[in-house]
Each structure stands twice: as C-alpha cells, then as structure tokens.
Amino acid sequence: MNVLFIDSETTGLDSKRNTMIEIAARIDVNGTTLDRFSVKLFNPQTITNLGALKVNKTKLSSLLTNKPEAEAIMLFVDWLLEIREKVQGDIILCGQNPGFDIRFLLEALHKYGIEGIDSIIGYKTLDTYGLALALVECGKLKIENNKLSLTDIAKALNVDMTINVPHTATGDVEIVADVLYGLLKLMKV
C-alpha cells in the first residue's frame, strides 16, 4: 500500500482568502517511509488570521523568512513528480480531514496555472477522523469525551507526541502516519 500523508498549516480556514504557510508530506510504501517533504511559505497578498497563527504556533514576523508561495508550491509539485517516478501503483492520500489540505493545495495550484495533480496522486483518500469515528461507533476505540481531534485520537492510540509537535505540518504528518497504522491494527479482526 502506497500512502502519501499530507498536512498543511494555513493563515485561516477559507482557501479563497487565506493561504498555506507550511506544507509537509511523507510517502510510505508498504509501511516503510520512502521520503519526506516540508516547506514553509508565505504570500503577503492574502489575509492572515491571527487566531490561525496562534493555533499553529506561528509568529507573524516569522512568515517573512518563509519561501515565496510560488517557489514553495513548485518545489512541492517537483517532489510529488519525483515520488510518482519511484512508486509503482496507486497512491492513497491520507490525513486528518485531508479535504481541507487538498482545497488549499488546489487553490494554490490554480493560482499558478498548474493542473493535473490527480494524475500524480489520484483520488483515493483516507481520513483518519472518519476511520477513528467508525472505530469509536463500533466500540473498538475509546476516546475521552468522544473528541476526535488528531491529538485526542493519537492519545487514545498511545502515539508518542513528544518527538513530533502537533499543529505544525511536519509534526502532524508524522502523527497522522502513526495514527493511521494504529487505527488499521484496531480494524484487523
């Protein structure tokens, strides 16, 4: 199974008004990590929600040292193209609510005239939130107060979060990977 774990941090929740400030990804082939990618980016022409920066522990001034958005997006696409050459078969995209990250990625790609991302990563997705919800509903996973945030799911699965900092794209990609493998173990009969 080829799994592309992806996460982003953004300047807000609206992909039309806000932008990504960090993208991270990891590709696993049959449970073994093949490669990782991470870039911090910034587009000063978009609206920045200070509440979003608080959540992802980013100082406004630190955005000025990030790569320009166009350069970062092109680096990410180049990395995806390299991965596509190395990996045989379908790639499953996985994240905690990956639709959010995909919306922001597609908006950025559109802005720079880049189309055809589906030819690289396809349309197959796994959402750790949905998998965790199904396991909670059938009684195979116990989560305090039934909160299904990535951190709460990771805690319920005893995922070590001391190495990877939650609410950073780089940290969340690693946590999502550990969470997925923990959830898959619970699903085995």
Side-chain angles (χ1 to χ4, degrees):
M1 178 169 74
N2 304 317
V3 183
L4 176 65
F5 298 97
I6 189 169
D7 191 69
S8 65
E9 298 303 324
T10 66
T11 60
L13 300 175
D14 184 344
S15 63
K16 301 278 188 211
R17 295 181 49 190
N18 307 118
T19 60
M20 295 181 288
I21 55 172
E22 185 182 9
I23 305 169
R26 169 178 145 179
I27 182 75
D28 284 12
V29 176
N30 298 322
T32 301
T33 302
L34 180 66
D35 202 0
R36 290 178 171 85
F37 177 88
S38 178
V39 67
K40 292 186 177 194
L41 58 144
F42 184 55
N43 179 347
Q45 304 303 315
T46 60
I47 295 170
T48 300
N49 181 309
L50 297 178
L53 295 184
K54 181 180 177 187
V55 168
N56 54 47
K57 301 174 182 91
T58 301
K59 291 184 178 182
L60 186 60
S61 60
S62 73
L63 296 177
L64 297 174
T65 62
N66 292 359
K67 289 194 179 303
E69 182 183 51
E71 179 185 352
I73 294 299
M74 290 177 195
L75 287 169
F76 183 57
V77 171
D78 285 347
W79 181 81
L80 288 173
L81 289 167
E82 290 173 18
I83 291 303
R84 185 68 270 176
E85 289 178 13
K86 295 177 185 176
V87 174
Q88 301 298 312
D90 292 342
I91 294 176
I92 301 167
L93 184 83
C94 181
Q96 176 83 357
N97 185 17
F100 176 84
D101 304 296
I102 293 302
R103 275 193 307 279
F104 274 87
L105 179 59
L106 289 174
E107 192 66 35
L109 293 171
H110 177 74
K111 187 186 309 180
Y112 299 107
I114 302 168
E115 296 179 346
I117 193 76
D118 54 307
S119 67
I120 300 171
I121 56 175
Y123 291 104
K124 295 180 179 180
T125 59
L126 278 173
D127 183 351
T128 52
Y129 174 90
L131 291 174
L133 177 61
L135 289 167
V136 166
E137 291 297 320
C138 71
K140 289 191 172 193
L141 179 64
K142 304 283 186 227
I143 296 181
E144 190 174 318
N145 299 323
N146 286 332
K147 290 184 178 179
L148 295 173
S149 71
L150 180 59
T151 302
D152 290 322
I153 297 167
K155 284 179 185 174
L157 294 168
N158 296 315
V159 169
D160 181 5
M161 291 182 287
T162 58
I163 299 169
N164 300 301
V165 179
H167 300 295
T168 66
T170 306
D172 284 351
V173 158
E174 300 299 328
I175 294 167
V176 164
D178 291 343
V179 163
L180 175 67
Y181 294 127
L183 293 171
L184 291 176
K185 283 180 188 172
L186 290 178
M187 294 173 73
K188 290 185 179 178
V189 180

Short mmCIF file of all heavy atoms in Angstrom, two decimals, residues 1-65:
data_model
loop_
_atom_site.label_atom_id
_atom_site.label_comp_id
_atom_site.label_asym_id
_atom_site.label_seq_id
_atom_site.Cartn_x
_atom_site.Cartn_y
_atom_site.Cartn_z
N MET A 1 0.86 -1.18 0.00
CA MET A 1 0.00 0.00 0.00
C MET A 1 0.90 1.24 0.00
O MET A 1 1.79 1.37 0.83
CB MET A 1 -0.91 -0.03 1.23
CG MET A 1 -1.81 1.16 1.37
SD MET A 1 -3.12 1.01 2.64
CE MET A 1 -2.20 1.18 4.15
N ASN A 2 0.67 2.13 -0.94
CA ASN A 2 1.40 3.39 -1.04
C ASN A 2 0.55 4.49 -0.42
O ASN A 2 -0.54 4.75 -0.89
CB ASN A 2 1.67 3.74 -2.51
CG ASN A 2 2.41 2.64 -3.23
OD1 ASN A 2 3.35 2.07 -2.70
ND2 ASN A 2 1.99 2.33 -4.44
N VAL A 3 1.07 5.11 0.63
CA VAL A 3 0.31 6.14 1.33
C VAL A 3 1.09 7.45 1.34
O VAL A 3 2.25 7.48 1.77
CB VAL A 3 -0.02 5.73 2.78
CG1 VAL A 3 -0.89 6.79 3.45
CG2 VAL A 3 -0.72 4.37 2.82
N LEU A 4 0.46 8.49 0.86
CA LEU A 4 1.02 9.84 0.91
C LEU A 4 0.31 10.58 2.03
O LEU A 4 -0.86 10.91 1.93
CB LEU A 4 0.81 10.58 -0.42
CG LEU A 4 1.28 12.03 -0.46
CD1 LEU A 4 2.79 12.11 -0.30
CD2 LEU A 4 0.82 12.70 -1.74
N PHE A 5 1.03 10.80 3.12
CA PHE A 5 0.49 11.56 4.25
C PHE A 5 0.74 13.03 3.94
O PHE A 5 1.83 13.40 3.49
CB PHE A 5 1.19 11.16 5.55
CG PHE A 5 0.99 9.73 5.91
CD1 PHE A 5 1.95 8.77 5.59
CD2 PHE A 5 -0.15 9.31 6.55
CE1 PHE A 5 1.77 7.44 5.91
CE2 PHE A 5 -0.35 7.97 6.88
CZ PHE A 5 0.62 7.03 6.56
N ILE A 6 -0.26 13.85 4.18
CA ILE A 6 -0.13 15.28 3.86
C ILE A 6 -0.78 16.12 4.95
O ILE A 6 -1.79 15.71 5.54
CB ILE A 6 -0.75 15.61 2.48
CG1 ILE A 6 -0.42 17.03 2.06
CG2 ILE A 6 -2.23 15.32 2.45
CD1 ILE A 6 -0.76 17.34 0.61
N ASP A 7 -0.17 17.26 5.22
CA ASP A 7 -0.77 18.22 6.15
C ASP A 7 -0.29 19.61 5.77
O ASP A 7 0.77 19.77 5.17
CB ASP A 7 -0.38 17.93 7.60
CG ASP A 7 -1.21 18.75 8.57
OD1 ASP A 7 -2.42 18.50 8.68
OD2 ASP A 7 -0.66 19.68 9.20
N SER A 8 -1.10 20.59 6.10
CA SER A 8 -0.71 21.98 5.88
C SER A 8 -1.14 22.81 7.07
O SER A 8 -2.04 22.44 7.81
CB SER A 8 -1.36 22.53 4.60
OG SER A 8 -2.76 22.59 4.73
N GLU A 9 -0.46 23.90 7.24
CA GLU A 9 -0.88 24.93 8.19
C GLU A 9 -1.22 26.14 7.34
O GLU A 9 -0.60 26.39 6.30
CB GLU A 9 0.21 25.24 9.21
CG GLU A 9 0.60 24.05 10.08
CD GLU A 9 -0.55 23.43 10.87
OE1 GLU A 9 -1.44 24.19 11.32
OE2 GLU A 9 -0.54 22.21 11.05
N THR A 10 -2.22 26.89 7.77
CA THR A 10 -2.75 27.97 6.94
C THR A 10 -2.93 29.26 7.74
O THR A 10 -2.88 29.25 8.97
CB THR A 10 -4.12 27.57 6.34
OG1 THR A 10 -5.07 27.43 7.42
CG2 THR A 10 -4.02 26.26 5.56
N THR A 11 -3.19 30.34 7.02
CA THR A 11 -3.43 31.64 7.65
C THR A 11 -4.90 31.84 7.98
O THR A 11 -5.31 32.93 8.35
CB THR A 11 -2.95 32.79 6.75
OG1 THR A 11 -3.67 32.73 5.51
CG2 THR A 11 -1.47 32.72 6.49
N GLY A 12 -5.71 30.81 7.85
CA GLY A 12 -7.14 30.88 8.13
C GLY A 12 -7.83 29.66 7.57
O GLY A 12 -7.19 28.72 7.09
N LEU A 13 -9.16 29.67 7.60
CA LEU A 13 -9.93 28.49 7.19
C LEU A 13 -10.50 28.57 5.78
O LEU A 13 -11.02 27.58 5.28
CB LEU A 13 -11.09 28.28 8.19
CG LEU A 13 -10.68 28.04 9.64
CD1 LEU A 13 -11.90 27.97 10.54
CD2 LEU A 13 -9.82 26.79 9.76
N ASP A 14 -10.44 29.73 5.15
CA ASP A 14 -11.05 29.94 3.84
C ASP A 14 -9.98 29.87 2.75
O ASP A 14 -9.13 30.76 2.65
CB ASP A 14 -11.74 31.31 3.82
CG ASP A 14 -12.48 31.61 2.54
OD1 ASP A 14 -12.25 30.93 1.51
OD2 ASP A 14 -13.30 32.54 2.56
N SER A 15 -10.02 28.81 1.93
CA SER A 15 -8.98 28.61 0.91
C SER A 15 -9.00 29.68 -0.18
O SER A 15 -8.03 29.84 -0.91
CB SER A 15 -9.11 27.23 0.28
OG SER A 15 -10.35 27.11 -0.39
N LYS A 16 -10.09 30.44 -0.28
CA LYS A 16 -10.15 31.53 -1.27
C LYS A 16 -9.48 32.81 -0.75
O LYS A 16 -8.97 33.60 -1.52
CB LYS A 16 -11.61 31.84 -1.64
CG LYS A 16 -12.37 30.67 -2.20
CD LYS A 16 -12.10 30.50 -3.66
CE LYS A 16 -13.02 29.43 -4.22
NZ LYS A 16 -12.42 28.71 -5.32
N ARG A 17 -9.51 33.01 0.57
CA ARG A 17 -8.98 34.24 1.17
C ARG A 17 -7.63 34.04 1.86
O ARG A 17 -6.85 34.97 1.96
CB ARG A 17 -9.96 34.79 2.19
CG ARG A 17 -11.28 35.23 1.59
CD ARG A 17 -12.20 35.78 2.64
NE ARG A 17 -11.47 36.76 3.46
CZ ARG A 17 -11.94 37.28 4.58
NH1 ARG A 17 -13.11 36.94 5.01
NH2 ARG A 17 -11.24 38.15 5.26
N ASN A 18 -7.42 32.85 2.38
CA ASN A 18 -6.22 32.56 3.15
C ASN A 18 -5.31 31.63 2.36
O ASN A 18 -5.72 31.08 1.35
CB ASN A 18 -6.60 31.91 4.49
CG ASN A 18 -7.62 32.71 5.27
OD1 ASN A 18 -8.72 32.25 5.53
ND2 ASN A 18 -7.28 33.93 5.64
N THR A 19 -4.08 31.45 2.82
CA THR A 19 -3.14 30.58 2.13
C THR A 19 -2.41 29.66 3.10
O THR A 19 -2.46 29.86 4.31
CB THR A 19 -2.07 31.39 1.35
OG1 THR A 19 -1.34 32.20 2.28
CG2 THR A 19 -2.68 32.24 0.28
N MET A 20 -1.72 28.70 2.53
CA MET A 20 -0.89 27.81 3.33
C MET A 20 0.37 28.55 3.75
O MET A 20 0.89 29.39 3.02
CB MET A 20 -0.51 26.57 2.51
CG MET A 20 -1.69 25.70 2.15
SD MET A 20 -1.20 24.24 1.20
CE MET A 20 -0.80 25.00 -0.38
N ILE A 21 0.86 28.22 4.95
CA ILE A 21 2.14 28.75 5.40
C ILE A 21 3.13 27.62 5.66
O ILE A 21 4.31 27.86 5.89
CB ILE A 21 2.00 29.64 6.66
CG1 ILE A 21 1.30 28.90 7.79
CG2 ILE A 21 1.30 30.94 6.30
CD1 ILE A 21 1.31 29.64 9.11
N GLU A 22 2.64 26.38 5.59
CA GLU A 22 3.52 25.22 5.71
C GLU A 22 2.85 24.03 5.04
O GLU A 22 1.64 23.83 5.18
CB GLU A 22 3.80 24.90 7.18
CG GLU A 22 4.80 23.78 7.38
CD GLU A 22 5.05 23.42 8.85
OE1 GLU A 22 4.35 23.93 9.74
OE2 GLU A 22 5.97 22.62 9.08
N ILE A 23 3.64 23.27 4.29
CA ILE A 23 3.17 22.02 3.69
C ILE A 23 4.17 20.95 4.09
O ILE A 23 5.39 21.17 4.00
CB ILE A 23 3.15 22.08 2.15
CG1 ILE A 23 2.35 23.24 1.62
CG2 ILE A 23 2.62 20.76 1.57
CD1 ILE A 23 2.53 23.46 0.12
N ALA A 24 3.66 19.81 4.52
CA ALA A 24 4.53 18.67 4.81
C ALA A 24 3.88 17.42 4.25
O ALA A 24 2.65 17.31 4.18
CB ALA A 24 4.75 18.53 6.31
N ALA A 25 4.73 16.49 3.84
CA ALA A 25 4.23 15.24 3.29
C ALA A 25 5.24 14.13 3.58
O ALA A 25 6.43 14.39 3.81
CB ALA A 25 4.01 15.37 1.78
N ARG A 26 4.73 12.92 3.55
CA ARG A 26 5.57 11.73 3.76
C ARG A 26 4.97 10.63 2.90
O ARG A 26 3.76 10.45 2.88
CB ARG A 26 5.53 11.36 5.23
CG ARG A 26 6.13 10.02 5.58
CD ARG A 26 6.06 9.80 7.07
NE ARG A 26 5.82 8.41 7.37
CZ ARG A 26 5.74 7.92 8.58
NH1 ARG A 26 5.85 8.70 9.64
NH2 ARG A 26 5.52 6.63 8.77
N ILE A 27 5.82 9.91 2.19
CA ILE A 27 5.33 8.80 1.38
C ILE A 27 5.83 7.49 2.00
O ILE A 27 7.03 7.35 2.26
CB ILE A 27 5.76 8.93 -0.11
CG1 ILE A 27 5.21 7.79 -0.96
CG2 ILE A 27 7.26 9.02 -0.26
CD1 ILE A 27 3.75 7.89 -1.28
N ASP A 28 4.89 6.59 2.27
CA ASP A 28 5.21 5.26 2.78
C ASP A 28 4.82 4.22 1.74
O ASP A 28 3.76 4.34 1.11
CB ASP A 28 4.44 4.97 4.06
CG ASP A 28 5.00 5.68 5.29
OD1 ASP A 28 5.84 6.57 5.12
OD2 ASP A 28 4.56 5.33 6.40
N VAL A 29 5.67 3.24 1.57
CA VAL A 29 5.38 2.10 0.69
C VAL A 29 5.39 0.85 1.57
O VAL A 29 6.41 0.53 2.19
CB VAL A 29 6.43 1.99 -0.44
CG1 VAL A 29 6.17 0.76 -1.29
CG2 VAL A 29 6.41 3.26 -1.30
N ASN A 30 4.23 0.21 1.67
CA ASN A 30 4.07 -0.99 2.50
C ASN A 30 4.56 -0.76 3.93
O ASN A 30 5.24 -1.61 4.51
CB ASN A 30 4.77 -2.19 1.86
CG ASN A 30 4.15 -2.53 0.52
OD1 ASN A 30 2.94 -2.44 0.34
ND2 ASN A 30 4.98 -2.90 -0.43
N GLY A 31 4.24 0.40 4.49
CA GLY A 31 4.56 0.69 5.87
C GLY A 31 5.95 1.23 6.13
O GLY A 31 6.30 1.56 7.26
N THR A 32 6.77 1.35 5.09
CA THR A 32 8.13 1.87 5.24
C THR A 32 8.20 3.25 4.60
O THR A 32 7.78 3.43 3.46
CB THR A 32 9.15 0.93 4.56
OG1 THR A 32 9.05 -0.36 5.16
CG2 THR A 32 10.56 1.46 4.71
N THR A 33 8.75 4.20 5.33
CA THR A 33 8.87 5.57 4.82
C THR A 33 9.92 5.63 3.73
O THR A 33 11.07 5.25 3.94
CB THR A 33 9.21 6.54 5.96
OG1 THR A 33 8.19 6.46 6.95
CG2 THR A 33 9.30 7.98 5.45
N LEU A 34 9.50 6.13 2.56
CA LEU A 34 10.39 6.28 1.41
C LEU A 34 11.01 7.67 1.37
O LEU A 34 12.20 7.83 1.08
CB LEU A 34 9.61 6.00 0.12
CG LEU A 34 10.35 6.11 -1.19
CD1 LEU A 34 11.41 5.02 -1.30
CD2 LEU A 34 9.37 6.00 -2.36
N ASP A 35 10.21 8.70 1.69
CA ASP A 35 10.72 10.07 1.60
C ASP A 35 9.79 11.01 2.36
O ASP A 35 8.64 10.69 2.64
CB ASP A 35 10.80 10.51 0.13
CG ASP A 35 11.79 11.65 -0.11
OD1 ASP A 35 12.42 12.14 0.86
OD2 ASP A 35 11.90 12.08 -1.27
N ARG A 36 10.34 12.20 2.68
CA ARG A 36 9.58 13.25 3.36
C ARG A 36 9.81 14.57 2.64
O ARG A 36 10.85 14.77 2.02
CB ARG A 36 10.04 13.39 4.81
CG ARG A 36 9.66 12.24 5.71
CD ARG A 36 10.22 12.48 7.11
NE ARG A 36 9.71 11.53 8.08
CZ ARG A 36 10.23 10.32 8.27
NH1 ARG A 36 11.30 9.93 7.59
NH2 ARG A 36 9.71 9.51 9.17
N PHE A 37 8.84 15.48 2.81
CA PHE A 37 8.95 16.82 2.24
C PHE A 37 8.38 17.81 3.25
O PHE A 37 7.38 17.54 3.91
CB PHE A 37 8.13 16.93 0.93
CG PHE A 37 8.15 18.31 0.34
CD1 PHE A 37 9.15 18.68 -0.53
CD2 PHE A 37 7.17 19.24 0.68
CE1 PHE A 37 9.18 19.97 -1.07
CE2 PHE A 37 7.19 20.52 0.15
CZ PHE A 37 8.20 20.88 -0.72
N SER A 38 9.00 18.98 3.33
CA SER A 38 8.47 20.04 4.19
C SER A 38 8.96 21.38 3.66
O SER A 38 10.13 21.52 3.28
CB SER A 38 8.95 19.85 5.62
OG SER A 38 8.47 20.90 6.44
N VAL A 39 8.06 22.35 3.63
CA VAL A 39 8.43 23.70 3.23
C VAL A 39 7.51 24.70 3.93
O VAL A 39 6.33 24.43 4.12
CB VAL A 39 8.38 23.90 1.69
CG1 VAL A 39 6.96 23.82 1.16
CG2 VAL A 39 9.04 25.21 1.27
N LYS A 40 8.11 25.81 4.34
CA LYS A 40 7.33 26.91 4.90
C LYS A 40 7.24 27.97 3.82
O LYS A 40 8.23 28.26 3.14
CB LYS A 40 7.98 27.44 6.17
CG LYS A 40 7.92 26.42 7.29
CD LYS A 40 8.42 26.98 8.58
CE LYS A 40 8.24 25.91 9.67
NZ LYS A 40 8.39 26.46 10.99
N LEU A 41 6.05 28.55 3.67
CA LEU A 41 5.83 29.50 2.58
C LEU A 41 5.00 30.68 3.06
O LEU A 41 4.40 30.65 4.13
CB LEU A 41 5.12 28.80 1.42
CG LEU A 41 3.78 28.12 1.72
CD1 LEU A 41 2.86 28.27 0.53
CD2 LEU A 41 3.99 26.65 2.01
N PHE A 42 4.97 31.72 2.23
CA PHE A 42 4.20 32.91 2.59
C PHE A 42 3.83 33.70 1.35
O PHE A 42 4.63 33.84 0.43
CB PHE A 42 5.01 33.80 3.54
CG PHE A 42 4.26 35.00 4.04
CD1 PHE A 42 3.04 34.88 4.67
CD2 PHE A 42 4.80 36.27 3.89
CE1 PHE A 42 2.35 36.00 5.13
CE2 PHE A 42 4.12 37.40 4.35
CZ PHE A 42 2.90 37.25 4.97
N ASN A 43 2.63 34.22 1.37
CA ASN A 43 2.14 35.13 0.33
C ASN A 43 1.59 36.35 1.06
O ASN A 43 0.51 36.30 1.63
CB ASN A 43 1.06 34.48 -0.52
CG ASN A 43 0.51 35.41 -1.58
OD1 ASN A 43 0.75 36.61 -1.55
ND2 ASN A 43 -0.23 34.85 -2.51
N PRO A 44 2.32 37.48 1.06
CA PRO A 44 1.87 38.66 1.81
C PRO A 44 0.61 39.31 1.24
O PRO A 44 0.06 40.21 1.86
CB PRO A 44 3.07 39.60 1.73
CG PRO A 44 3.81 39.19 0.51
CD PRO A 44 3.58 37.71 0.36
N GLN A 45 0.15 38.86 0.08
CA GLN A 45 -1.03 39.45 -0.56
C GLN A 45 -2.34 38.86 -0.05
O GLN A 45 -3.41 39.22 -0.53
CB GLN A 45 -0.95 39.28 -2.08
CG GLN A 45 0.31 39.84 -2.70
CD GLN A 45 0.50 41.32 -2.40
OE1 GLN A 45 -0.43 42.10 -2.52
NE2 GLN A 45 1.70 41.70 -2.00
N THR A 46 -2.29 37.92 0.90
CA THR A 46 -3.52 37.30 1.39
C THR A 46 -3.80 37.72 2.83
O THR A 46 -2.94 38.26 3.51
CB THR A 46 -3.44 35.76 1.32
OG1 THR A 46 -2.35 35.34 2.14
CG2 THR A 46 -3.26 35.28 -0.09
N ILE A 47 -4.99 37.42 3.26
CA ILE A 47 -5.43 37.77 4.61
C ILE A 47 -4.87 36.75 5.60
O ILE A 47 -4.93 35.55 5.37
CB ILE A 47 -6.97 37.80 4.68
CG1 ILE A 47 -7.49 38.93 3.80
CG2 ILE A 47 -7.46 37.92 6.11
CD1 ILE A 47 -8.98 38.92 3.59
N THR A 48 -4.32 37.25 6.70
CA THR A 48 -3.77 36.39 7.74
C THR A 48 -4.62 36.53 8.99
O THR A 48 -4.76 37.63 9.53
CB THR A 48 -2.30 36.78 8.05
OG1 THR A 48 -1.53 36.64 6.85
CG2 THR A 48 -1.73 35.89 9.13
N ASN A 49 -5.18 35.41 9.44
CA ASN A 49 -6.00 35.38 10.64
C ASN A 49 -5.09 35.09 11.83
O ASN A 49 -4.46 34.03 11.89
CB ASN A 49 -7.08 34.29 10.49
CG ASN A 49 -7.98 34.23 11.69
OD1 ASN A 49 -7.53 34.14 12.82
ND2 ASN A 49 -9.27 34.24 11.44
N LEU A 50 -5.01 36.03 12.77
CA LEU A 50 -4.11 35.87 13.91
C LEU A 50 -4.49 34.68 14.78
O LEU A 50 -3.63 34.05 15.39
CB LEU A 50 -4.05 37.16 14.72
CG LEU A 50 -3.49 38.37 13.97
CD1 LEU A 50 -3.52 39.61 14.85
CD2 LEU A 50 -2.09 38.10 13.46
N GLY A 51 -5.77 34.35 14.81
CA GLY A 51 -6.21 33.16 15.56
C GLY A 51 -5.63 31.89 14.96
O GLY A 51 -5.23 30.97 15.69
N ALA A 52 -5.56 31.82 13.63
CA ALA A 52 -4.97 30.65 12.96
C ALA A 52 -3.49 30.55 13.29
O ALA A 52 -2.97 29.46 13.52
CB ALA A 52 -5.18 30.74 11.45
N LEU A 53 -2.80 31.67 13.32
CA LEU A 53 -1.37 31.65 13.65
C LEU A 53 -1.15 31.18 15.09
O LEU A 53 -0.18 30.48 15.37
CB LEU A 53 -0.75 33.03 13.45
CG LEU A 53 -0.71 33.55 12.02
CD1 LEU A 53 0.02 34.90 11.96
CD2 LEU A 53 -0.09 32.56 11.06
N LYS A 54 -2.08 31.53 15.98
CA LYS A 54 -1.99 31.09 17.37
C LYS A 54 -2.11 29.57 17.44
O LYS A 54 -1.34 28.91 18.14
CB LYS A 54 -3.07 31.76 18.21
CG LYS A 54 -3.02 31.38 19.67
CD LYS A 54 -4.10 32.08 20.47
CE LYS A 54 -4.08 31.61 21.91
NZ LYS A 54 -5.20 32.13 22.67
N VAL A 55 -3.07 29.01 16.69
CA VAL A 55 -3.27 27.55 16.69
C VAL A 55 -2.03 26.83 16.21
O VAL A 55 -1.59 25.84 16.80
CB VAL A 55 -4.50 27.16 15.83
CG1 VAL A 55 -4.54 25.67 15.58
CG2 VAL A 55 -5.78 27.63 16.49
N ASN A 56 -1.44 27.31 15.10
CA ASN A 56 -0.27 26.60 14.57
C ASN A 56 1.06 27.16 15.09
O ASN A 56 2.11 26.86 14.54
CB ASN A 56 -0.30 26.48 13.04
CG ASN A 56 -0.46 27.79 12.34
OD1 ASN A 56 0.21 28.76 12.67
ND2 ASN A 56 -1.35 27.84 11.36
N LYS A 57 0.98 27.91 16.18
CA LYS A 57 2.16 28.38 16.91
C LYS A 57 3.16 29.10 16.01
O LYS A 57 4.36 28.83 16.04
CB LYS A 57 2.82 27.20 17.62
CG LYS A 57 1.91 26.50 18.60
CD LYS A 57 2.57 25.26 19.17
CE LYS A 57 1.64 24.54 20.11
NZ LYS A 57 0.82 23.53 19.51
N THR A 58 2.65 30.03 15.20
CA THR A 58 3.49 30.76 14.26
C THR A 58 3.45 32.25 14.59
O THR A 58 2.38 32.82 14.77
CB THR A 58 2.98 30.55 12.81
OG1 THR A 58 3.00 29.16 12.53
CG2 THR A 58 3.84 31.28 11.82
N LYS A 59 4.62 32.86 14.66
CA LYS A 59 4.69 34.31 14.85
C LYS A 59 4.55 34.98 13.50
O LYS A 59 5.12 34.53 12.50
CB LYS A 59 6.02 34.69 15.49
CG LYS A 59 6.13 34.23 16.92
CD LYS A 59 7.42 34.72 17.54
CE LYS A 59 7.48 34.27 18.98
NZ LYS A 59 8.70 34.75 19.63
N LEU A 60 3.82 36.07 13.45
CA LEU A 60 3.59 36.79 12.21
C LEU A 60 4.92 37.17 11.55
O LEU A 60 5.11 36.98 10.34
CB LEU A 60 2.73 38.02 12.46
CG LEU A 60 2.27 38.80 11.23
CD1 LEU A 60 1.45 37.93 10.30
CD2 LEU A 60 1.46 40.02 11.65
N SER A 61 5.85 37.66 12.32
CA SER A 61 7.13 38.09 11.75
C SER A 61 7.92 36.92 11.16
O SER A 61 8.71 37.11 10.23
CB SER A 61 7.97 38.80 12.81
OG SER A 61 8.23 37.94 13.90
N SER A 62 7.72 35.71 11.68
CA SER A 62 8.46 34.56 11.16
C SER A 62 8.04 34.20 9.73
O SER A 62 8.80 33.57 8.99
CB SER A 62 8.29 33.33 12.06
OG SER A 62 6.98 32.79 11.92
N LEU A 63 6.85 34.63 9.32
CA LEU A 63 6.40 34.36 7.95
C LEU A 63 7.30 35.02 6.92
O LEU A 63 7.44 34.53 5.80
CB LEU A 63 4.95 34.83 7.77
CG LEU A 63 3.88 34.12 8.60
CD1 LEU A 63 2.52 34.76 8.34
CD2 LEU A 63 3.85 32.64 8.32
N LEU A 64 7.92 36.12 7.29
CA LEU A 64 8.77 36.86 6.35
C LEU A 64 10.00 36.07 5.91
O LEU A 64 10.57 36.34 4.86
CB LEU A 64 9.19 38.20 6.95
CG LEU A 64 8.03 39.16 7.25
CD1 LEU A 64 8.54 40.39 7.98
CD2 LEU A 64 7.30 39.54 5.98
N THR A 65 10.40 35.07 6.69
CA THR A 65 11.57 34.26 6.32
C THR A 65 11.18 33.02 5.51
O THR A 65 12.06 32.28 5.06
CB THR A 65 12.35 33.82 7.58
OG1 THR A 65 11.51 33.00 8.40
CG2 THR A 65 12.85 35.04 8.35
#
